Amino acid sequence: MAVVLLTDMDEAREARWRDVLARALPEETIVAGAGVDTAGLEPAAFDVAIAANPPAAALARFPALGFVQSLWAGVEQLVHNPALPPDAPLARLVDPNMARFMAEAVTAHVTSLHRDHPHYARAQAEERWAPAPAVYARDRTVGFLGTGELARACLRQLAGLDFPLLGWSRSRRDLDGVETFAGDEGLTAMLARTDILVNLMPLTAETRGMIDARLLGRLKPGAALVNVARGGHVVDADLLAALDEGQLGEAVLDVFDEEPLPAGHPFWRHPRVHVFPHVAAPTEPESAARIAAANIRAFRTGGAIAGLVDRARGY
Ligand code: NAP
Ligand code: GLV
């Protein structure tokens, strides 16, 4: 049996990924999706797919898939792909290197908001000398939506910087040095104390549109949002209204409902929106290939697959 690599990349980039995967899995035949027709193998010869947001129809070509490994941490597109075989395990990418990268990005955004960098950038643009009142980290509370793999890496990093840390998730989790919450009451309690809110939830039917006027209205007035999860969590019009009313002070956005962010979108020019082009924690090929290889070997030998997705839950 063989492994097919299905992506939304151009042919050259997909071929480079195939080579990295082939080095990590020398015992397997790995064919890039773009090359399947010339590989001399029937689609039924492929029992594993390594997937990076492939177009909906790509999976449908392979009738014998027994395991699908995502190269992305977020699997909201794959999990709803109607061609995903109903009984095949689906694993998302759980990669300590990605977590370190995310922790670095979130720490940069949180410390930059904490030290008023957006305020000083605006002041400089107007040639204004405008010192803001000093606030110590111990007086700036950071709240996380989600306490999963990536959020926990961020929380560990921020723990050394003296910020009071809060975390909310579906099921409350005990975390050293973090006050944790669950449920709608827990969310209200956390938001009421949050100065900087970081979103690291998966995009699911439950979480889509969750960052709306109601949620933003429960934050401390003037709080900031850092969204590094998915754009679909945010109701854009509500975010803009909260900024314009002063309920939200700043929004650092790494992800958008439509990517690339379309020309003319109000986020591009809003003085309190800071746009990053989905760069918080890109997948690192060598590291992701090692993880995919371990999971494919586990699939072949009946071992434990890491990062299994609960398809009913959506993450
Ligand atoms: P994860 O380990 O699955 O953690 C998800 C967290 O969200 C868990 O704590 C989970 O609660 C919580 N959650 C899920 N549904 C919820 C709900 N309805 N209400 C409250 N909490 C809920 O995921 P991860 O690996 O940390 O990744 C998080 C997301 O980051 C990914 O899905 C992806 O969208 C995004 N991401 C972005 C980038 C980027 O470059 N911007 C890179 C990688 C990933 P439980 O603990 O109770 O299950
Ligand atoms: C990136 O956004 C990922 O989900 O891996």
Side-chain angles (χ1 to χ4, degrees):
M1 299 300 275
V3 177
V4 64
L5 170 64
L6 301 172
T7 76
D8 60 351
M9 302 169 194
D10 63 43
E11 216 169 303
R13 187 154 170 244
E14 191 175 83
R16 284 198 297 277
W17 262 98
R18 196 217 71 90
D19 293 345
V20 176
L21 289 160
R23 281 198 292 280
L25 264 175
E27 70 273 29
E28 296 276 351
T29 301
I30 305 179
V31 180
V36 163
D37 293 330
T38 54
L41 289 168
E42 290 300 318
F46 294 89
D47 66 340
V48 173
I50 300 177
N53 285 339
L59 272 179
R61 292 187 62 198
F62 300 93
L65 293 179
F67 173 49
V68 178
Q69 168 70 53
S70 171
L71 291 177
W72 286 59
V75 289
E76 69 282 355
Q77 291 187 30
L78 260 182
V79 88
H80 296 302
N81 188 320
L84 193 65
D87 300 322
L90 166 66
R92 66 191 197 86
L93 187 67
V94 177
D95 180 345
N97 274 351
M98 175 184 269
R100 266 191 289 276
F101 223 26
M102 181 59 87
E104 184 180 273
V106 166
T107 303
H109 292 318
V110 166
T111 50
S112 142
L113 288 163
H114 165 57
R115 296 307 303 260
D116 301 305
H117 288 188
H119 160 79
Y120 293 118
R122 288 188 292 269
Q124 182 177 354
E126 295 162 12
E127 298 186 26
R128 256 187 321 114
W129 187 262
V135 177
Y136 293 101
R138 64 170 184 263
D139 297 321
R140 192 89 78 180
T141 298
V142 185
F144 277 74
L145 297 172
T147 59
E149 299 287 341
L150 300 179
R152 291 199 301 280
C154 301
L155 285 160
R156 281 193 295 273
Q157 186 110 335
L158 290 169
L161 297 178
D162 223 18
F163 294 106
L165 299 172
L166 314 177
W168 180 78
S169 48
R170 224 162 78 112
S171 45
R172 204 185 66 76
R173 190 189 285 266
D174 283 327
L175 295 175
D176 269 356
V178 182
E179 196 177 337
T180 53
F181 303 82
D184 196 54
E185 272 181 27
L187 180 59
T188 302
M190 181 178 94
L191 294 172
R193 288 167 51 195
T194 294
D195 295 296
I196 301 174
L197 181 69
V198 179
N199 177 32
L200 265 169
M201 294 185 298
L203 186 61
T204 66
E206 274 183 38
T207 64
R208 178 172 285 282
M210 237 186 79
I211 303 179
D212 61 0
R214 181 164 177 269
L215 184 146
L216 295 169
R218 288 186 278 173
L219 278 166
K220 270 174 87 169
L225 170 71
V226 177
N227 185 19
V228 282
R230 286 293 183 263
H233 289 124
V234 172
V235 178
D236 292 1
D238 291 5
L239 180 86
L240 289 164
L243 284 164
D244 292 341
E245 288 156 8
Q247 170 60 17
L248 195 65
E250 312 280 347
V252 174
L253 306 178
D254 186 70
V255 285
F256 303 89
D257 204 22
E258 186 181 343
E259 294 182 2
L261 183 64
H265 192 291
F267 285 163
W268 280 119
R269 293 198 175 273
H270 197 290
R272 291 177 187 273
V273 174
H274 313 285
V275 170
F276 292 79
H278 201 144
V279 287
T283 301
E284 182 193 347
E286 280 73 17
S287 161
R290 278 195 300 276
I291 288 158
N295 269 350
I296 291 168
R297 289 184 185 122
F299 166 68
R300 296 252 182 263
T301 56
I305 296 173
L308 276 181
V309 172
D310 176 335
R311 288 168 62 173
R313 222 173 45 166
Y315 72 100

